[in-house]
Amino acid sequence: MLDPTSLYLSNPALLEDARVRGLPLIVALSGYAEAGHVAVQIEHTLTEALPHEVVARFDLDQLYDYRARRPHVTFREDHFEGFQTPELSLRLVTDGLGRSFALLTGPEPDLQWNRFTEAVVGLARRMDVSLVAIVSGIPMPVPHTRPFIVSVHGNRADLLPAEHAWKPVVEMSSSAAQLLEIRLGEAGIDNIGFTVHVPQYLAEAHLPHAAVAALEHISAVTSLNLPSDELREAAREIEQQIDQQVGASPEVQAVVAGLEQRYDDVVDASVPRSLLVGDESELPDADEIGAAAEAFLAAQEDEQD
């Protein structure tokens, strides 16, 4: 493997600054399999609302497949302009109460996953991060009319949900973020992942309330004061639009009603919404979860074709 550190250009002064030592690290990588566009909304919200400095910027010419995910450009009257160069970077961010944290955001690498994850693990060690929190969205057979379920995973047993009946074993297409979680665990670095269950029929839409659910869980484990007012306001507008569209289609109404019934049968409103309880036989099984994920990935590939 080539030297992982040559994948990024760092700010040496900031990387050696005491301010970046012992901080939590939030990882939100956007990609073609990003249900609900959770990661890109988190990146936009945090970088637009909070002061930040770039600690390291990755060389996407080594990691990004421009032909598979073509950046946008603008043609204005008689010339091209505004090429939207993708950026994958590590930032030092300050929350609303003056507390710092690290933030790794940008497009999921298409290439060199092992080298990329080794680079991130090396940066985490160098910064002596206290906890790595990884967020993502996955398409699932759940309704948009109920609170979002968030699966929690990682190597911090004290932060994981209490024991419950649902322990699926699922084989699915992987992501760079999932590989990063594995590599962090192998390196002995504390990590926790939050996977938001996004309604399968809305997986390609921007769902602000899914990003809010992710931010709530991150705030709970890091004690950071993360902004979400703008997302909550946008979520109310999106919910109204979805309800109008669903109301116009009896077929879609029937599908949503069935998902609602199933959700209500298996989720006890008296427990934290990130946990599933009830009869294990009533929960989505591994085949259903895998089918939902594969269907979403197939839709993305068809769109690219």
Side-chain angles (χ1 to χ4, degrees), residues 1 13 26 48 81 83 95 109 132 135 144 164 168 171-172 181 183 199 209 229-230 291 293:
M1 180 189 299
I26 299 171
E48 288 293 318
E81 65 180 27
F83 180 81
D95 76 357
V132 181
V135 296
H144 71 279
H164 54 86
E171 184 172 329
M172 64 181 70
E181 182 177 317
R183 295 291 183 257
H209 29 336
D229 290 346
E230 182 178 332

Side-chain angles (χ1 to χ4, degrees), residues 66-146:
Y66 288 89
R67 294 186 65 180
R69 290 189 285 172
R70 295 177 184 268
H72 288 178
V73 67
T74 300
F75 181 77
R76 189 174 305 279
E77 298 180 358
D78 59 0
H79 65 280
F80 287 99
E81 65 180 27
F83 180 81
Q84 298 179 15
T85 305
E87 180 178 335
L88 176 57
S89 59
L90 177 67
R91 296 180 175 92
L92 173 65
V93 188
T94 305
D95 76 357
L97 297 178
R99 291 173 296 197
S100 297
F101 63 96
L103 176 66
L104 176 62
T105 58
E108 173 194 54
D110 297 301
L111 309 169
Q112 303 190 48
W113 280 12
N114 283 302
R115 190 171 171 223
F116 167 72
T117 53
E118 286 299 317
V120 176
V121 169
L123 285 167
R125 281 174 167 159
R126 190 170 176 180
M127 297 168 61
D128 191 26
V129 299
S130 58
L131 176 70
V132 181
I134 304 173
V135 296
S136 61
I138 185 173
M140 291 289 285
V142 294
H144 71 279
T145 53
R146 298 293 187 267

Side-chain angles (χ1 to χ4, degrees), residues 8-84:
Y8 60 84
L9 180 64
S10 65
N11 180 340
L14 186 56
L15 192 55
E16 298 301 327
D17 195 311
R19 291 181 297 158
V20 304
R21 296 287 179 274
L23 303 178
L25 166 61
I26 299 171
V27 177
L29 301 178
S30 59
Y32 85 103
E34 183 198 359
H37 296 275
V38 173
V40 71
Q41 292 183 92
I42 289 176
E43 176 182 15
H44 175 79
T45 298
L46 297 183
T47 57
E48 288 293 318
L50 301 175
H52 56 86
E53 304 172 70
V54 174
V55 177
R57 182 174 285 111
F58 283 83
D59 180 7
L60 278 185
D61 276 355
Q62 300 186 60
L63 301 173
Y64 192 87
D65 186 343
Y66 288 89
R67 294 186 65 180
R69 290 189 285 172
R70 295 177 184 268
H72 288 178
V73 67
T74 300
F75 181 77
R76 189 174 305 279
E77 298 180 358
D78 59 0
H79 65 280
F80 287 99
E81 65 180 27
F83 180 81
Q84 298 179 15

Side-chain angles (χ1 to χ4, degrees), residues 255-274:
V255 171
V256 174
L259 293 174
E260 289 175 337
Q261 182 62 53
R262 186 175 195 179
Y263 183 105
D264 294 340
D265 286 344
V266 301
V267 178
D268 186 340
S270 66
V271 300
R273 60 189 178 187
S274 62

Side-chain angles (χ1 to χ4, degrees), residues 144 209 234-246:
H144 71 279
H209 29 336
R236 285 189 283 270
E237 297 178 7
I238 293 295
E239 288 172 352
Q240 292 176 358
Q241 295 175 18
I242 294 172
D243 289 340
Q244 290 174 358
Q245 295 179 15
V246 170

